Amino acid sequence: MTSAKDLVLPLDAYDLNAVERSVVQTARYHLIERCLSRYGLPFKPHDTRPVTYPKNASYLGWLGAKQVGTYGYSGPRGQLAEVAAAVDGIRGYLIPPSQDAVQTGTVKRFRGKPVPPEGCDGEAQRRLNGDAPGPDGVAPAKPHIYKQLYVYMDDAAEIAYQDERIKAANAAWSACMRKAGHRYAMPAEAEADPRWASRRDTEPPTKDELSTAVADERCRLQVNYSGARLAAYADAQRAVIARHKQEVERLATLQRTRYANAQKVLDSA
């Protein structure tokens, strides 16, 4: 595991890439904005740039993008939000209370006008989904069912967590860290150390965090920690794909349909 290019897993082939997800989110927000305007509600622009943090870095325990020797476990300022958005390409945002009911569809009417089922977001998702079927084969797909692909990724993660290769990698990493003067059973414990787990990325890391993070990354590389996780996760995802072959293939079609429809929305904007 030498670069972000190595962080590829089988389910990635059924998903959109970062740039394509960016196009879909841009179109989605454009559709939501257009819907909200019917009710006299404004829509604040959101960041839909492609997420650059590697999608599978967290799954595979790879620290290469964080520059831990300078920034510690948080990575550069603002990167924590990118880590959270890496898998599905969606940066979280707060819906103003005045818009929540219309965006999510918890009311049937607003200012005398009917609200679409599941709100303006539901309307946008249906436009993107078009006539493509969901993983169950029923068309059109339910508004948010494309996220089932990420559920399968999490299912594979639970399988991989029990893999003996990951347990062995944890033990080898722990032994390496002990030699460097740090006592943790697994990398997650080092990252979650209460001495720095709550530190904001606007605050500088302590010398203790930096020394731990540098030793941590060195030990992960030395024992090929991410390589072991890659092998385990890849096998787990292949097992999930084999178990849900038709569903996964339909999800891939749905994702491609969403991208194509998003391009049409933006072309006509």
Side-chain angles (χ1 to χ4, degrees), residues 132-155:
D136 57 2
V138 177
K142 296 177 182 178
H144 301 90
I145 198 63
Y146 72 94
K147 293 181 180 180
Q148 180 63 36
L149 186 64
Y150 308 122
V151 174
Y152 287 143
M153 291 179 185
D154 287 341
D155 289 346

Side-chain angles (χ1 to χ4, degrees), residues 16-34 43-51 88-91 93 121 124-125 127-128 146 258-259 261-267 269:
L16 301 177
N17 62 37
V19 173
E20 292 166 337
R21 287 198 297 267
S22 170
V23 170
V24 171
Q25 291 310 311
T26 302
R28 174 193 169 205
Y29 292 145
H30 175 76
L31 291 169
I32 291 174
E33 180 180 21
R34 196 159 66 189
F43 185 76
K44 181 181 178 180
H46 297 298
D47 186 357
T48 60
R49 292 171 301 160
V51 177
D88 62 10
I90 303 175
R91 295 177 179 88
Y93 69 96
D121 189 34
Q125 299 288 9
R127 173 72 180 276
L128 293 171
Y146 72 94
R258 286 169 61 82
Y259 175 60
N261 286 336
Q263 289 180 307
K264 294 176 183 177
V265 168
L266 297 179
D267 286 344

Side-chain angles (χ1 to χ4, degrees), residues 10-262:
L11 279 170
D12 295 344
Y14 299 87
D15 199 3
L16 301 177
N17 62 37
V19 173
E20 292 166 337
R21 287 198 297 267
S22 170
V23 170
V24 171
Q25 291 310 311
T26 302
R28 174 193 169 205
Y29 292 145
H30 175 76
L31 291 169
I32 291 174
E33 180 180 21
R34 196 159 66 189
C35 175
L36 288 174
S37 70
R38 302 200 301 262
Y39 305 93
L41 296 172
F43 185 76
K44 181 181 178 180
H46 297 298
D47 186 357
T48 60
R49 292 171 301 160
V51 177
T52 58
Y53 193 79
K55 175 181 178 181
N56 296 315
S58 294
Y59 277 139
L60 302 181
W62 189 71
L63 295 177
K66 289 193 170 183
Q67 304 174 58
V68 294
T70 301
Y71 301 105
Y73 286 112
S74 69
R77 184 173 180 175
Q79 193 180 74
L80 287 175
E82 295 297 281
V83 172
V87 172
D88 62 10
I90 303 175
R91 295 177 179 88
Y93 69 96
L94 294 176
I95 300 176
S98 61
Q99 297 181 10
D100 184 74
V102 180
Q103 281 218 43
T104 60
T106 56
V107 295
K108 292 184 178 181
R109 299 185 69 84
F110 185 82
R111 293 179 177 172
K113 297 180 180 180
V115 174
E118 298 188 57
C120 286
D121 189 34
E123 180 178 276
Q125 299 288 9
R126 284 189 292 273
R127 173 72 180 276
L128 293 171
N129 290 349
D131 294 325
D136 57 2
V138 177
K142 296 177 182 178
H144 301 90
I145 198 63
Y146 72 94
K147 293 181 180 180
Q148 180 63 36
L149 186 64
Y150 308 122
V151 174
Y152 287 143
M153 291 179 185
D154 287 341
D155 289 346
E158 291 187 16
I159 297 171
Y161 185 76
Q162 304 299 326
D163 194 289
E164 292 299 325
R165 289 168 290 187
I166 291 182
K167 294 179 181 179
N170 282 332
W173 173 89
S174 182
C176 177
M177 288 291 280
R178 280 198 302 274
K179 292 179 181 179
H182 306 284
R183 304 187 72 85
Y184 301 100
M186 62 184 67
E189 290 184 4
E191 294 188 56
D193 191 309
R195 290 179 293 170
W196 46 74
S198 61
R199 176 179 64 81
R200 298 177 182 273
D201 62 5
T202 54
E203 303 169 348
T206 63
K207 290 183 179 179
D208 284 345
E209 180 181 352
L210 290 175
S211 66
T212 302
V214 168
D216 180 357
E217 183 175 31
R218 184 175 63 247
C219 284
R220 294 192 201 200
L221 292 171
Q222 182 175 316
V223 305
N224 192 27
Y225 181 79
S226 293
R229 290 183 73 92
L230 176 65
Y233 271 69
D235 283 350
Q237 286 199 1
R238 281 190 282 267
V240 169
I241 291 169
R243 191 178 308 125
H244 302 282
K245 184 65 174 176
Q246 282 191 323
E247 292 92 335
V248 171
E249 289 178 347
R250 289 174 184 141
L251 284 166
T253 298
L254 177 59
Q255 293 279 26
R256 301 310 305 175
T257 299
R258 286 169 61 82
Y259 175 60
N261 286 336

